[in-house]
Amino acid sequence: MYNVKSKFSLCCWLMLLACSRPDNTLEKPLQALDPAGPANGSYVIIPNQGCEGCISTAESFVKNHISSTADIRYVFTRIQSVKLLKIKLGATVMYSNKVLLDTANTIPYPDKQKEIYPMIVRVKNHKVTEITYQSPESDGFADLLKR
């Protein structure tokens, strides 16, 4: 009888864990990087290494939309050289209050197979609600602009 109760408790515990939010491991690093971050909005997290076409697309997206999107912040992570990044993006983009540099590489990727792609993290009430990617298989930036 005791064994059945413990198995039932374990099963209930696992079901509760399975129903948790998309990823709460991103909330603390994002809050540390951006303490005044948006309660509702999005973060575009761009690795400096990975899928070159996807990263170039992300950098172009930042340049074209930095002033037109109020609820989006841009986080650059895995930076090899801040100086080279500044040359690629330009001083206007680099010194924007919407651009954050993760020089300590604290932003984790929940899906290790997708850590070469830009990640789009949606936040509602300071909680991560959805994670999508800009990759050859999905156009996360088009979805981001639709909302």
Side-chain angles (χ1 to χ4, degrees):
M1 183 66 167
Y2 175 75
N3 195 18
V4 172
K5 284 183 181 179
S6 64
K7 286 183 181 179
F8 179 74
S9 296
L10 178 64
C11 185
C12 290
W13 180 251
L14 289 174
M15 286 175 28
L16 281 174
L17 288 175
C19 295
S20 66
R21 289 178 283 123
D23 197 293
N24 57 10
T25 60
L26 283 167
E27 290 167 6
K28 285 185 181 181
L30 286 173
Q31 187 175 21
L33 274 174
D34 191 17
N40 300 309
S42 300
Y43 287 93
V44 176
I45 300 169
I46 305 165
N48 196 237
Q49 306 165 4
C51 174
E52 288 184 35
C54 301
I55 294 169
S56 296
T57 301
E59 291 168 350
S60 178
F61 182 85
V62 173
K63 288 179 189 178
N64 294 331
H65 295 94
I66 193 143
S67 60
S68 64
T69 52
D71 62 344
I72 301 175
R73 307 250 189 193
Y74 304 94
V75 179
F76 289 88
T77 189
R78 299 186 187 146
I79 302 167
Q80 293 176 336
S81 169
V82 174
K83 189 182 273 187
L84 286 175
L85 187 61
K86 181 180 174 185
I87 291 169
K88 285 196 305 189
L89 296 176
T92 306
V93 172
M94 278 296 285
Y95 296 123
S96 169
N97 62 351
K98 294 179 185 178
V99 172
L100 306 164
L101 302 180
D102 179 24
T103 55
N105 299 326
T106 59
I107 301 291
Y109 270 71
D111 188 347
K112 295 295 181 193
Q113 295 176 342
K114 294 186 177 183
E115 62 186 12
I116 63 171
Y117 302 118
M119 177 172 52
I120 300 158
V121 178
R122 295 190 198 290
V123 176
K124 186 170 184 175
N125 298 322
H126 297 287
K127 303 291 182 196
V128 173
T129 58
E130 183 182 357
I131 298 170
T132 57
Y133 296 90
Q134 173 67 32
S135 69
E137 294 84 35
S138 66
D139 191 0
F141 294 141
D143 293 340
L144 182 61
L145 291 175
K146 287 179 186 174
R147 294 181 184 199

